[in-house]
Amino acid sequence: MPKPTSTSAKTKKKPATFAVAILAAGKGTRLKSSRPKVLHEIGGKPLLAHVVAAAVEVVPPSSIFAIVGHESERVCEALRSTGISFILQSEQLGTGHAVMTARAALQGFDNVLVLSGDVPLIKAETIARVRDFHVASHAAMTMLTAEPDDPTGYGRVFRKIVRGKETDEVDRIVEQKALRGKELQQREINSGIYAFAAKPLYAHIGKLGTDNAHREYYLTDIAVLLRKAGEKVLALRADDSNEVLGINTRMELAQLDAQLRNQKAGELMLAGTTIFRPETCDIDADVEIGTDTVIEPFVQLIGKTRIGADCRIRSYSIITNCEIGNNVLIRPGCILEDSVVRKGAQIGPYSHLRPGSDIGEGAHVGNFVETKKTRLGKGSKANHLTYLGDAEIGEGVNVGAGTITCNYDGVNKNVTVIEDGVFVGSDSTLVAPIRIGRGAYIGASSCITEDVPADALALARGRQVVKAGWAEQRRTKARAQVK
Ligand code: UD1
Ligand code: CA
């Protein structure tokens, strides 16, 4: 069979430049919130962060501009690490006004992609599809449209009909409040996502007016202005209408959060993680999980948590910003925050790993054990009812039931060092700062206030007293008194 030859029909032309403008200045009145709308979270991440994450896959952060206004400092602060730029729209006079405000930053680019800070599920591929369609068809404006099950609340798109047939060209966009009669049945909606050629956009945007229900400059009105100027205005249908759903109310916030988590669980399952009853689990967008790990029902995996392969995370555990190695078992009801659990370790049930805990390879942390800023070495065990705070614990250490590190003297936090191979008997208190030398034994129920040398036995408890027959004598005496 002949080898297929590659058809290199690529023509080298200077590529057109693209900026992305994300409209994020609005107050989000319908959320009834004191927090800026775009900082409300789905999938554990602000709405705007989702949009930025998709945008940076299409253009570099230096070409991305978020237009901010309401509580702008909070928005900038939350997104600063992304490296995008911010443009202040100090008065929010509408989506058209937002794009006018950004003129200086945007007009130097050939094209501008406009995204909405409150349309968070948009995918990079879809933005790229709008861009490519826009460039290939030499349009002045391309709008992404969709036909969701319920179009209520969205601006509706009316296409030009030629000889009874719908075309790619947009005739007009009518906002919900302005829909009349038959128009109310129109299903095709404006997603609020557009590509513009910068030149015609800024040549005509100054003509927008505010003659509408909200007395705002609507960006959607630019479609008619451009069309009247003989420019091409096109509509491109999204393949998946779920991607362009906007958030205006708390109900929509909850719906999109559920949708995003469902999608995330689906991606993880396709990549080799088992998730039982995924609809009961909350897995944040940035969580990573290795293959053959099993996630049981009602688990929450939050923030930047990374879980290795062949782990089992049992029900009702909440894991936030943790690094979990391979082959780890987390039994039911554990709470883990900002901690590391190394391979083969076993945690729980009902363990609380507070920030800075580092549980070594094959180590065990059991029932009702709390750790904070504590390293537990390889193979060490703290299985029952224990508090380990500010502790450096070596390898092969056995921490008996009920052991407590007394790390706080009312002013300072002090460190407990337990060297390799130490055996701490049950119900011991270790008053820090203190060091227990390698291989030492602590007798059960000791209150240890001084360092213990290696291989020593430390006993710090009252000596047992036994009085033979005392109980029987006492009972006899008591009976005599009753008569
Ligand atoms: C807008 C569209 C509507 C579309 C819908 C899709 C207009 C007039 N209408 O309506 O056709 O179906 O999006 O979700 O554009 N914003 C600013 N500055 C402002 C006003 C708004 O940055 O002065 C931002 C908002 O923060 C928001 C986005 O622009 O992120 C959209 O504004 P919003 O008021 O939510 O518009 P919709 O009523 O949803
Ligand atoms: Ca909106």
Side-chain angles (χ1 to χ4, degrees):
M1 211 165 63
K3 265 192 175 172
T5 49
S6 70
T7 51
S8 60
K10 284 178 201 153
T11 45
K12 288 262 174 196
K13 232 178 26 180
K14 197 165 167 261
T17 56
F18 278 87
V20 167
I22 307 175
L23 309 189
K27 186 169 187 293
T29 315
R30 288 163 278 185
L31 284 177
K32 308 223 167 31
S33 172
S34 61
R35 188 200 291 202
K37 178 184 198 177
V38 292
L39 292 190
H40 279 261
E41 294 185 354
I42 61 168
K45 216 159 77 165
L47 300 180
L48 184 54
H50 287 279
V51 182
V52 171
V56 293
E57 285 187 49
V58 182
V59 303
S62 56
S63 304
I64 301 177
F65 303 86
I67 296 158
V68 294
H70 182 70
E71 297 256 10
S72 58
E73 305 85 41
R74 283 174 78 182
V75 179
C76 296
E77 192 49 48
L79 275 292
R80 199 172 305 286
S81 64
T82 60
I84 66 166
S85 303
F86 299 93
I87 295 169
L88 184 67
Q89 183 196 15
S90 37
E91 256 191 300
Q92 290 87 57
L93 304 179
T95 47
H97 180 258
V99 175
M100 283 183 213
T101 308
R103 177 195 287 262
L106 301 177
Q107 66 184 0
F109 292 84
D110 297 323
N111 298 283
V112 180
L113 294 160
V114 174
L115 309 178
S116 258
D118 65 347
V119 180
L121 301 186
I122 188 69
K123 290 206 177 103
E125 304 90 83
T126 308
I127 302 171
R129 196 175 145 230
V130 174
R131 174 197 61 195
D132 296 343
F133 177 88
H134 177 76
V135 169
S137 49
H138 303 285
M141 172 181 186
T142 300
M143 57 191 316
L144 182 67
T145 71
E147 295 194 11
D149 296 337
D150 180 10
T152 313
Y154 293 92
R156 296 324 143 72
V157 179
F158 294 85
R159 293 173 183 241
K160 212 160 125 185
I161 310 284
V162 174
R163 283 188 288 275
K165 267 202 166 160
E166 196 187 76
T167 66
D168 278 349
E169 290 194 54
V170 173
D171 179 63
R172 65 193 195 283
I173 303 152
V174 183
E175 291 303 306
Q176 173 76 35
K177 280 203 174 154
L179 292 167
R180 296 287 170 267
K182 259 196 172 162
E183 287 177 337
L184 282 158
Q185 284 154 31
Q186 182 67 359
R187 299 244 349 263
E188 189 169 9
I189 64 135
N190 167 28
S191 70
I193 289 164
Y194 320 84
F196 288 100
K199 249 196 211 126
L201 170 66
Y202 284 110
H204 297 283
I205 201 166
K207 298 179 207 156
L208 288 179
T210 57
D211 182 17
N212 54 53
H214 293 107
R215 301 272 151 225
E216 282 183 358
Y217 295 96
Y218 286 174
L219 183 58
T220 43
D221 289 345
I222 194 90
V224 169
L225 291 174
L226 287 172
R227 203 170 49 71
K228 281 189 179 153
E231 298 283 357
K232 224 188 220 182
V233 178
L234 302 182
L236 174 68
R237 270 197 189 85
D239 296 326
D240 177 6
S241 67
N242 284 329
E243 237 186 271
V244 301
L245 295 177
I247 289 180
N248 295 314
T249 65
R250 304 253 183 183
M251 274 98 78
E252 286 163 347
L253 190 78
Q255 279 158 13
L256 263 58
D257 176 72
Q259 189 176 315
L260 190 74
R261 291 182 190 281
N262 193 22
Q263 192 178 308
K264 174 75 187 180
E267 284 163 16
L268 289 166
M269 289 190 276
L270 285 175
T273 299
T274 295
I275 306 176
F276 290 119
R277 307 271 314 278
E279 72 282 6
T280 67
C281 295
D282 271 351
I283 304 180
D284 278 1
D286 294 335
V287 169
E288 292 172 29
I289 309 180
T291 52
D292 289 321
T293 284
V294 176
I295 310 291
E296 293 192 0
F298 298 100
V299 163
Q300 292 187 21
L301 304 174
I302 309 294
K304 302 234 178 298
T305 293
R306 276 177 34 199
I307 298 177
D310 297 306
C311 296
R312 189 171 192 103
I313 314 295
R314 304 216 48 204
S315 293
Y316 310 110
S317 289
I318 303 177
I319 304 179
T320 306
N321 296 326
C322 286
E323 178 93 34
I324 312 256
N326 296 339
N327 249 304
V328 166
L329 170 62
I330 311 278
R331 295 197 179 86
C334 293
I335 298 177
L336 282 65
E337 310 155 74
D338 300 292
S339 291
V340 175
V341 179
R342 299 182 191 271
K343 70 177 176 200
Q346 299 192 8
I347 312 291
Y350 310 111
S351 305
H352 187 184
L353 270 49
R354 290 169 49 207
S357 300
D358 181 337
I359 309 305
E361 197 180 320
H364 290 190
V365 174
N367 308 258
F368 305 104
V369 171
E370 175 181 347
T371 63
K372 186 218 71 173
K373 259 202 198 159
T374 282
R375 193 178 66 81
L376 188 64
K378 189 171 168 183
S380 291
K381 290 177 183 158
N383 269 330
H384 329 268
L385 303 155
T386 286
Y387 173 58
L388 300 171
D390 302 294
E392 266 297 317
I393 303 172
E395 297 184 2
V397 169
N398 190 83
V399 179
T403 297
I404 289 175
T405 54
C406 307
N407 59 326
Y408 187 46
D409 58 16
V411 181
N412 294 307
K413 298 282 165 70
N414 302 300
V415 173
T416 298
V417 178
I418 304 177
E419 295 182 357
D420 294 350
V422 164
F423 179 94
V424 181
S426 294
D427 190 32
S428 293
T429 49
L430 309 172
V431 182
I434 198 135
R435 172 179 291 267
I436 317 293
R438 177 185 283 263
Y441 259 63
I442 306 293
S445 204
S446 290
C447 176
I448 301 294
T449 53
E450 287 163 34
D451 286 358
V452 178
D455 296 320
L457 166 68
L459 280 173
R461 63 185 186 212
R463 204 171 250 290
Q464 184 168 324
V465 176
V466 176
K467 296 187 177 176
W470 180 92
E472 180 48 28
Q473 279 167 22
R474 191 194 130 84
R475 276 191 295 270
T476 311
K477 207 169 147 190
R479 272 188 220 111
Q481 277 169 358
V482 172
K483 282 177 194 159

